Amino acid sequence: MNPIDLIEKYYKKDTKAYRILISHSQQVANKAGEVALRVAHLNPDRDFIEEASLLHDIGMVKTRTPQLGCYGQHPYVCHGHLGRHMLEKEGLNRHALVCERHVGVGITREDIIQQHLPIPDREMMPQTVEEQIICYADKFFSKNGDGSEKTVEEILLKLKSYGSDKVQRFKKWVDLFGG
């Protein structure tokens, strides 16, 4: 399976959304690959991490996020579960779970209910080491196009507004995966 071929099934190559997705996803894949090497003792599936990192944000095309070149019908917070549906249709069930579970540092049912999020009412927390590595690596890069890597401190500051549980989850990953 070639992730780029699959992306090109849903995105036109010469679009802003395609360029942003490819650039961001490659950054995440590179960071996740570095993390996987650091935690080789946990036996992460490095080939899967590469593929799933490239596909983790595929659902953004179905969101209404003009700054990313996306003109779909859904709020951006939906990109994870929308990507899950897209990849399940492709028979990539394991990759699909990464799409759904990478948003934020994972989304709990409690988050969905309390914040009235327009996503299915179910746990969307990274479970496997591969899911956690990709979710962790994703936090270091935005899609704003500047290409810079955020520091751990910058990530923690942003997560603070979402709750201390999110900060604690990310800190555990910093301890496990390295900064």
Side-chain angles (χ1 to χ4, degrees), residues 31 35 38 105 136-137 139-141 149-160 166-179:
K31 179 81 170 179
V35 171
R38 282 199 298 267
V105 287
Y136 174 73
K139 297 302 146 279
F140 286 89
F141 304 99
E149 183 171 336
K150 296 176 195 169
T151 65
V152 168
E153 293 75 24
E154 289 170 324
I155 296 165
L156 291 171
L157 185 62
K158 183 165 182 167
L159 287 174
K160 196 174 186 181
K166 312 307 187 257
V167 170
Q168 291 308 313
R169 188 171 311 126
F170 190 79
K171 282 183 175 179
K172 286 180 185 177
W173 288 341
V174 171
D175 291 342
L176 181 61
F177 301 137

Side-chain angles (χ1 to χ4, degrees), residues 117-166:
L117 298 175
I119 56 178
D121 179 5
R122 61 178 173 245
E123 288 290 315
M124 297 184 185
M125 298 293 295
Q127 302 295 313
T128 67
V129 68
E130 292 86 0
E131 290 170 357
Q132 291 176 48
I133 288 171
I134 294 165
C135 188
Y136 174 73
D138 185 46
K139 297 302 146 279
F140 286 89
F141 304 99
S142 68
K143 295 179 193 76
N144 66 11
D146 76 358
S148 64
E149 183 171 336
K150 296 176 195 169
T151 65
V152 168
E153 293 75 24
E154 289 170 324
I155 296 165
L156 291 171
L157 185 62
K158 183 165 182 167
L159 287 174
K160 196 174 186 181
S161 66
Y162 294 98
S164 61
D165 58 322
K166 312 307 187 257

Side-chain angles (χ1 to χ4, degrees), residues 20-33:
I20 290 171
L21 178 65
I22 294 295
S23 175
H24 170 74
S25 298
Q26 191 60 62
Q27 288 178 306
V28 173
N30 291 342
K31 179 81 170 179

